[in-house]
Amino acid sequence: MKIEQIYTGCMAQAAYYIESNGEAAIFDPLREVQPYIDKANKDKAAVKYIFETHFHADFVSGHLDLARKTGGKIVYGPTANPQFEAMIARDQQEFKIGFYTVKALHTPGHTLESTCYLLTDENGKQHGIITGDTLFIGDVGRPDLAQEFSSDLTQEKLASYLFDSLRQKIMPLADDLIVYPTHGAGSACGKNMSKETTDTLGNQKKTNYALRADMTREEFVAELLDGLGLPPTYFPQNVLMNIQGYESLEVIMEKSNLALAPKQFEILANQSDAVILDVRHEDDFAKSHIPKSIFIGIHGNFAPWVGALLGNVRQPLLLIAPEGMVQETIMRLSRVGFDHVLGYLEGGVSAWEMAGFEIDSVTSISPEQFNCEFSEKSVVVDARKPSEFKAEHVENAINIPLDTINAHFDSVPQTETFYLHCLGGYRSVIMASILKSRGFHQVINVEKGINGIKNTAVPLTHFVCPDAVK
């Protein structure tokens, strides 16, 4: 069966393309749709259907632009109520793509409309199943996203629905089916996803905690909800965009790609409530940046961090980007619904400085210098996830995960100078930029993070598994 997974690592997101006998279908497309169109054109195929597994929360789907450009019909599962033309599939309804068959399996739990798509090849053999956020490799979808829209849909109720969906619709299927999920490790749509992006259903039955055959409903709900952090604040806004519709990406690209001279940039920054977003490398930002600008580097998990830390998708933005990366930045912002870029600084920070405007910097030191300065009285803030911190951290360090910083400024040392680090240097500079924008200037960033610190003599605390204690 001809199926292609189109995986976007910085989003931990997978779209899928299938083609048979001159007909094609796309599943869960990203906002930039031209790559899918190019694939169909290469195969001399017409896009017949655009299947959505659910209303996505972590990205804005490309269904509307793709339908407009190709004439393909948008398909959602039962109970979906989009505010645009779409087919609402019945449970077990079949769709033909050339000689292939796609069967909709309604699997509520992650959301009420969540639907998986069972793929059968030209010989009538079931090949695989596109599971959306219902089933991941190593995990299942979080059941707490619908509460923003209905107080009756508690996470416990949706988790119970998911228990039934997995056991009634997914687990009875053949072990040799290939599982094609919409997300992999790094996505906030689950908590324990594997770095692998496909697997057989049989292996998932053996290894995925949520598919244990002897699991009770109560055990499933308890394990699914255990350790589940709050979803990023931009998630409900992306859901609404996917339900209600949005401006075409082409329109967003055209109106956002506006070059601004330093004086124009400065006036617009002062007259608007725009956030100055600097997407260069963290080393460049640390050396020189516009005061109060926020750093989130384009080379990292850019769009999810923008969504998690800026929160409001309607937030106006002014960009500082590496040369030749403005359009890429605007496109990646659009993936998570940030469509309100007012323009970018022409010539970058060097042009700003040459125009006589003030610049700032982040005090940064090498791991070796940190080793020389470190003592038992040193105050150290670790910006990594709690699980990373638990496994290994600098002795007596304070853990303030980056994604929680906006709610935990009171946990930041208020007066004394402190060292800040993460795993490799990306997240700590993001946090440093946010802290400096809030008036915390007594921060010293440790370059290369814990990866660099481990090569020095700074004392570390390691997690010891209780089973290993004699």
Side-chain angles (χ1 to χ4, degrees):
M1 186 173 197
K2 182 175 181 178
I3 177 169
E4 182 176 352
Q5 181 185 75
I6 306 161
Y7 197 79
T8 305
C10 63
M11 296 288 294
Q13 190 271 351
Y16 295 91
Y17 169 84
I18 66 172
E19 185 274 331
S20 172
N21 197 35
E23 294 182 339
I26 316 296
F27 298 79
D28 291 342
L30 281 180
R31 188 99 176 253
E32 63 278 15
V33 300
Q34 194 57 47
Y36 313 119
I37 296 172
D38 291 343
K39 289 182 183 298
N41 289 341
K42 183 179 180 181
D43 290 335
K44 295 181 173 57
V47 175
K48 188 176 183 180
Y49 294 113
I50 302 144
F51 291 100
E52 292 283 3
T53 55
H54 63 295
F55 293 119
H56 302 285
D58 61 313
F59 69 96
V60 178
S61 179
H63 52 290
L64 291 179
D65 276 354
L66 193 52
R68 177 176 59 83
K69 291 186 174 187
T70 67
K73 295 179 180 179
I74 301 169
V75 181
Y76 282 95
T79 77
N81 187 25
Q83 297 179 19
F84 45 81
E85 184 177 351
M87 295 180 65
I88 306 303
R90 303 182 307 276
D91 186 31
Q92 307 291 326
Q93 182 174 349
E94 294 184 347
F95 300 83
K96 283 292 185 180
I97 310 296
F99 300 124
Y100 299 160
T101 301
V102 177
K103 180 186 284 189
L105 302 180
H106 188 210
T107 51
H110 174 64
T111 66
L112 282 181
E113 78 284 352
S114 286
T115 297
C116 299
Y117 296 100
L118 183 62
L119 308 178
T120 301
D121 68 16
E122 65 273 19
N123 299 314
K125 176 177 172 53
Q126 293 180 354
H127 167 82
I129 184 166
I130 293 175
T131 55
D133 289 20
T134 295
L135 175 62
F136 299 126
I137 308 305
D139 201 0
V140 291
R142 59 189 306 154
D144 60 343
L145 301 182
Q147 295 171 87
E148 290 281 344
F149 305 99
S150 173
S151 58
D152 293 334
L153 290 174
T154 64
Q155 59 183 9
E156 289 79 13
K157 182 180 290 187
L158 280 169
S160 182
Y161 290 162
L162 184 55
F163 177 83
D164 289 332
S165 291
L166 292 168
R167 278 146 185 81
Q168 296 172 13
K169 297 290 183 65
I170 305 296
M171 292 175 67
L173 297 172
D175 285 355
D176 63 352
L177 275 183
I178 300 175
V179 176
Y180 296 108
T182 296
H183 293 295
S187 169
C189 293
K191 62 180 182 179
N192 192 41
M193 281 176 265
S194 168
K195 64 179 181 179
E196 304 301 327
T197 60
T198 62
D199 195 8
T200 62
L201 181 57
N203 194 51
Q204 282 304 292
K205 291 176 186 178
K206 295 176 183 177
T207 60
N208 190 321
Y209 75 95
L211 302 187
R212 293 203 313 270
D214 60 349
M215 203 177 204
T216 67
R217 184 183 304 273
E218 292 72 23
E219 288 172 337
F220 175 86
V221 172
E223 289 193 40
L224 180 56
L225 299 184
D226 181 46
L228 191 65
L230 292 174
T233 55
Y234 78 101
F235 271 24
Q237 300 167 69
N238 276 196
V239 170
L240 285 176
M241 291 181 72
N242 284 317
I243 292 173
Q244 297 171 350
Y246 46 78
E247 280 192 293
S248 169
L249 179 58
E250 292 172 350
V251 174
I252 299 302
M253 296 297 291
E254 183 177 353
K255 74 178 184 181
S256 299
N257 192 17
L258 178 63
L260 300 168
K263 185 60 178 179
Q264 292 174 293
F265 191 92
E266 190 249 1
I267 291 172
L268 197 51
N270 289 335
Q271 290 181 348
S272 70
D273 61 348
V275 169
I276 299 175
L277 181 62
D278 192 323
V279 308
R280 298 172 298 153
H281 193 276
E282 57 265 26
D283 293 344
D284 296 323
F285 180 88
K287 291 175 184 175
S288 180
H289 61 263
I290 295 176
K292 296 189 177 180
S293 58
I294 301 299
F295 163 77
I296 304 177
I298 190 72
H299 64 284
N301 289 339
F302 173 68
W305 277 123
V306 169
L309 296 171
L310 300 188
N312 179 12
V313 300
R314 301 193 65 82
Q315 170 66 55
L317 300 173
L318 287 166
L319 297 182
I320 299 169
E323 185 176 355
M325 292 296 291
V326 171
Q327 287 192 313
E328 176 78 8
T329 303
I330 295 169
M331 182 269 291
R332 291 199 190 185
L333 287 167
S334 76
R335 287 176 176 169
V336 288
F338 282 77
D339 291 347
H340 298 274
V341 173
L342 305 181
Y344 67 94
L345 179 60
E346 189 171 24
V349 173
S350 59
W352 177 266
E353 188 174 6
M354 287 178 64
F357 293 114
E358 182 183 359
I359 61 168
D360 198 357
S361 62
V362 175
T363 302
S364 293
I365 60 173
S366 67
E368 292 75 19
Q369 187 174 348
F370 176 61
N371 177 55
C372 293
E373 297 181 7
F374 181 82
S375 72
E376 62 181 17
K377 295 182 179 179
S378 298
V379 180
V380 180
V381 173
D382 188 326
R384 296 176 300 154
K385 297 177 182 178
S387 58
E388 295 174 278
F389 181 83
K390 182 179 180 181
E392 181 179 51
H393 60 264
V394 175
E395 286 187 2
N396 301 318
I398 304 166
N399 185 210
I400 308 176
L402 174 58
D403 60 351
T404 71
I405 185 58
N406 289 323
H408 291 96
F409 287 112
D410 57 346
S411 300
V412 178
Q414 301 296 305
T415 55
E416 66 265 53
T417 297
F418 62 93
Y419 300 96
L420 173 65
H421 77 84
C422 59
L423 178 66
Y426 179 77
R427 284 175 283 177
S428 62
V429 177
I430 296 176
M431 185 181 284
S433 74
I434 295 171
L435 291 174
K436 285 176 70 65
S437 74
R438 294 298 190 98
F440 293 88
H441 294 288
Q442 70 278 18
V443 55
I444 300 174
N445 175 60
V446 182
E447 299 167 350
K448 301 179 183 178
I450 198 75
N451 286 339
I453 293 171
K454 285 194 293 187
N455 294 322
T456 72
V458 173
L460 301 179
T461 296
H462 297 270
F463 173 74
V464 179
C465 177
D467 294 339
V469 177
K470 302 298 183 182

